[in-house]
Amino acid sequence: MFFMKTKHVLLYVLSMVGLATYMLTAVAWAESDDLASDSTTETAETAETTDNYSDAGSDTAAYNFAYNTSVDYRSIRERAIKFSTTTAVNNMNAINNNTLRLANIFIYNQSQQKNVAFVDKSNLTIYVGTYQGDTLKITDTFDILVGEAEGDKVREGDRKTPEGVYYTVDYLSNKYLTNRYGSQVGNIYGTGAFPINYPNIVDKIEGRGGSGIWIHGLNPEKHKPVTLGCIAMGNERFDRLMTYMTVGVPTVIGETLNFTTNKDAYQQEKTRYYNFIENFTNAWSTNDYDTYAAMFHQQFKTPAGVRRGSFLGRKKSIMDYGLSINKQIPETTTETTTETTGTTLAENRRMAQMLKGNKLITFNNLTVFVERDLVVYDFNQLYATNNLISYGNKRYYVKDTAHELNGLSGAGGVGGAGGAGGLQVISEEFTSSDADAKKEAIMPYVQTFLQEWTQAWETKDVDGYIAMYAPAFRHRGTNMGLRQFTAYKQGVFDRAGNISVEYSNVTIESIASGRVKVSFIQKYDSDTVADTGKKTLVLTGRPDLFSIRSEAWFNL
């Protein structure tokens, strides 16, 4: 009887050694992203079906096996057992009840609900949640496996999970992996995988290498409690994770996440981060080169490889051109913003047009992600000059040169390193939006313009009304230029008596080369004429300083 038991134990140990070797190779494939080069033979499936390799230290067989192999996994085993699922759930509930803050994220008036993930390496936990408005909600937690070696990833093969702010860039289903690489690979990654964008631009600037870091599933027979750098979990958990994760989800990975109960300190940091992006944007929009340049890190580089000196040289040329235009304004009326000092609509618009050397730059749906000294600003940016309108997702990668690594005890305020409170841009990324999103971003400016235009029309403010037309205006149909059109409108205003103008069904038909084509239904009523028709305007210039370039009317 003793012999039989010993035999079974030996068989179990031998099988587990084989599985450990198999898993070591399997996870290496994900890290190297070189699946076709692997020569491992397929291991037979075992009869075990329970997902029991990672459950916060509950799988004693798997961890005891790791403990007794030649690789020392004792610290991994101890930290997994120490940190229980209950602790993760308690953190989740405390965040949702507003008694705990996660200082790895700061949210500013997010209009859409978005998903997010946070990986705590030391506690082998991933938190997933949603954020909207200025509120974070954690919706689930998962026990995970991470890289065998502790610390931040530096190079290929160091068996470390990277630390920083990343985004999921793809989803690879089991079917895809199996069809492309064979059943062996499909078996390794279970349900599927989400690759992340490691190394990101900051990793590359700072010399970190490696590739193929995935968040992926794992079949239940794989007992090895570590990966070679990936973030892994059993299929049952991964299937649940897929209800939250999609392509493009921000994923903050830290050795330890930055939880805090100090609401005041959290709010101070939130204000500090906001002040930086506001000051940065203002310096760029108003051609304040010295302030702008001080906010760039010495190691700055764009994804295309443009370094700080060349990048700022190009920006200075743009700013100098803007300043040369603004010199037309009398020195006594020059402002640092586009606000003007005129008292009438015509005076305000004329003064504003003279400030066209400045740029309109807005940011909305701003979220800031933080991991140690890396701060990532993620937002939608509208950038417009007198002949260009651009809209899309902007990311600034910022180094916090005056900040302690524990997240909330750093130096803040204006006047820190680089004159920017210790925050300096080390890289930036921009992804242009589709046409519909661009139109949605411009629509509020169109509506404001139409309100001012119709108000000037109804009040018969001919100077204010004509100030909303471009000097090169041409009326389609009559071919009148601005001078003839002004005389014509003056006569209409003199004869009309009371005027009422209503508009509805406003649509933006196109945006191209700084021109916005707008159509709407217009109902006009005066003491002498009443009609309804379709009005089409081509607006030109910055959205906050639109002028009518051409106008057409179609009777309905």
Side-chain angles (χ1 to χ4, degrees):
M1 193 67 174
F2 175 80
F3 172 77
M4 292 297 292
K5 288 182 178 179
T6 304
K7 178 181 178 181
H8 290 158
V9 170
L10 288 173
L11 287 173
Y12 177 78
V13 171
L14 288 173
S15 68
M16 293 300 289
V17 170
L19 286 170
T21 303
Y22 178 80
M23 194 56 210
L24 186 67
T25 304
V27 180
W29 285 8
E31 185 178 330
S32 66
D33 199 18
D34 188 12
L35 307 183
S37 67
D38 191 88
S39 60
T40 306
T41 58
E42 186 168 355
T43 304
E45 295 287 327
T46 69
E48 184 175 4
T49 59
T50 56
D51 181 12
N52 62 358
Y53 61 89
S54 136
D55 195 14
S58 64
D59 182 7
T60 55
Y63 285 107
N64 284 336
F65 164 73
Y67 185 86
N68 290 301
T69 58
S70 57
V71 179
D72 184 5
Y73 296 131
R74 281 175 291 185
S75 64
I76 297 172
R77 178 179 184 270
E78 289 166 358
R79 76 190 188 196
I81 291 173
K82 180 179 179 180
F83 190 85
S84 69
T85 302
T86 302
T87 306
V89 171
N90 287 342
N91 286 342
M92 175 178 69
N93 291 336
I95 288 173
N96 295 341
N97 292 332
N98 207 31
T99 58
L100 188 68
R101 299 287 190 279
L102 181 54
N104 298 98
I105 183 173
F106 299 83
I107 312 160
Y108 307 81
N109 298 320
Q110 175 63 239
S111 63
Q112 300 174 334
Q113 181 172 290
K114 294 192 174 183
N115 295 336
V116 64
F118 305 93
V119 175
D120 194 318
K121 288 170 56 177
S122 66
N123 295 321
L124 299 178
T125 301
I126 182 170
Y127 298 82
V128 293
T130 62
Y131 59 98
Q132 189 171 17
D134 62 354
T135 303
L136 170 69
K137 293 292 184 184
I138 300 298
T139 51
D140 213 338
T141 69
F142 301 85
D143 307 315
I144 57 174
L145 305 182
V146 296
E148 174 184 326
E150 296 184 0
D152 193 4
K153 186 169 185 62
V154 177
R155 62 183 180 275
E156 187 82 30
D158 62 9
R159 303 186 179 189
K160 296 178 181 180
T161 298
E163 298 167 11
V165 180
Y166 302 99
Y167 293 81
T168 56
V169 294
D170 201 356
Y171 170 67
L172 307 178
S173 67
N174 177 272
K175 181 179 180 181
Y176 170 85
L177 292 168
T178 300
N179 289 343
R180 182 169 181 180
Y181 302 111
S183 59
Q184 179 176 331
V185 173
N187 181 54
I188 292 169
Y189 299 114
T191 299
F194 288 101
I196 65 173
N197 66 327
Y198 175 86
N200 63 23
I201 181 61
V202 177
D203 293 320
K204 294 173 184 177
I205 290 172
E206 297 182 339
R208 287 184 287 276
S211 61
I213 302 299
W214 297 359
I215 303 171
H216 64 81
L218 199 63
N219 283 327
E221 66 272 15
K222 308 303 186 284
H223 285 280
K224 194 173 174 83
V226 292
T227 73
L228 292 188
C230 289
I231 298 162
M233 64 187 71
N235 285 338
E236 181 182 346
R237 293 179 179 84
F238 190 82
D239 288 345
R240 201 167 84 237
L241 180 73
M242 285 196 299
T243 63
Y244 311 108
M245 294 290 280
T246 55
V247 175
V249 169
T251 304
V252 181
I253 306 174
E255 177 62 25
T256 303
L257 294 178
N258 196 352
F259 297 102
T260 179
T261 57
N262 191 332
K263 295 182 181 180
D264 291 339
Y266 180 88
Q267 188 59 46
Q268 281 183 326
E269 286 297 271
K270 186 174 183 177
T271 301
R272 175 176 177 245
Y273 294 138
Y274 185 85
N275 287 344
F276 173 82
I277 194 65
E278 188 176 53
N279 293 337
F280 179 87
T281 301
N282 186 63
W284 173 219
S285 66
T286 60
N287 306 309
D288 182 357
Y289 176 78
D290 290 340
T291 299
Y292 183 75
M295 294 182 169
F296 282 83
H297 197 278
Q298 288 298 319
Q299 287 184 282
F300 174 87
K301 186 191 293 185
T302 70
V306 179
R307 296 183 180 275
R308 184 180 187 272
S310 298
F311 180 86
L312 288 176
R314 170 61 177 161
K315 297 295 187 182
K316 190 173 190 305
S317 296
I318 296 172
M319 290 183 179
D320 286 345
Y321 174 74
L323 289 172
S324 69
I325 295 175
N326 287 346
K327 284 181 179 179
Q328 301 172 43
I329 308 170
E331 202 170 307
T332 56
T333 59
T334 300
E335 301 288 334
T336 57
T337 71
T338 58
E339 292 178 4
T340 57
T341 58
T343 58
T344 69
L345 176 62
E347 291 170 336
N348 282 339
R349 289 191 62 79
R350 287 180 187 128
M351 184 61 70
Q353 287 290 357
M354 294 179 73
L355 284 165
K356 63 184 179 180
N358 290 346
K359 295 160 282 292
L360 171 66
I361 307 174
T362 67
F363 54 91
N364 55 61
N365 292 330
L366 171 66
T367 308
V368 173
F369 302 99
V370 181
E371 167 48 29
R372 294 180 301 182
D373 64 342
L374 176 63
V375 183
V376 178
Y377 288 81
D378 190 320
F379 56 94
N380 296 332
Q381 175 183 278
L382 173 63
Y383 175 92
T385 63
N386 221 37
N387 56 8
L388 172 68
I389 298 175
S390 171
Y391 183 75
N393 176 253
K394 187 83 172 189
R395 292 175 191 163
Y396 283 118
Y397 292 82
V398 176
K399 297 295 286 187
D400 196 347
T401 57
H403 212 277
E404 299 291 339
L405 296 185
N406 65 3
L408 285 176
S409 61
V414 177
L423 298 168
Q424 292 184 308
V425 178
I426 194 170
S427 192
E428 62 173 43
E429 295 173 337
F430 178 76
T431 304
S432 184
S433 69
D434 59 26
D436 288 342
K438 192 173 185 179
K439 291 176 182 178
E440 185 178 350
I442 296 298
M443 183 58 80
Y445 295 95
V446 171
Q447 293 284 8
T448 298
F449 178 85
L450 293 179
Q451 289 168 10
E452 291 184 355
W453 178 64
T454 54
Q455 183 178 5
W457 195 349
E458 290 178 328
T459 59
K460 296 188 286 187
D461 175 8
V462 68
D463 288 338
Y465 183 82
I466 294 303
M468 304 186 79
Y469 286 78
F473 167 79
R474 185 66 58 180
H475 187 275
R476 291 171 59 189
T478 65
N479 203 33
M480 286 188 293
L482 186 60
R483 180 177 295 180
Q484 297 95 324
F485 185 75
T486 300
Y488 165 74
K489 280 294 182 180
Q490 181 67 70
V492 170
F493 286 0
D494 290 343
R495 297 188 301 267
N498 295 318
I499 295 176
S500 171
V501 183
E502 298 178 6
Y503 60 90
S504 60
N505 300 332
V506 180
T507 60
I508 296 176
E509 295 186 8
S510 64
I511 302 174
S513 302
R515 296 188 179 186
V516 180
K517 186 176 182 180
V518 178
S519 294
F520 51 90
I521 302 301
Q522 175 182 290
K523 183 179 179 181
Y524 176 87
D525 192 6
S526 73
D527 291 345
T528 58
V529 176
D531 56 24
T532 300
K534 179 180 179 181
K535 178 67 69 73
T536 298
L537 304 177
V538 174
L539 305 179
T540 187
R542 276 173 24 196
D544 59 332
L545 299 175
F546 272 143
S547 294
I548 300 174
R549 181 67 173 76
S550 69
E551 176 177 325
W553 165 264
F554 307 94
N555 276 310
L556 293 180

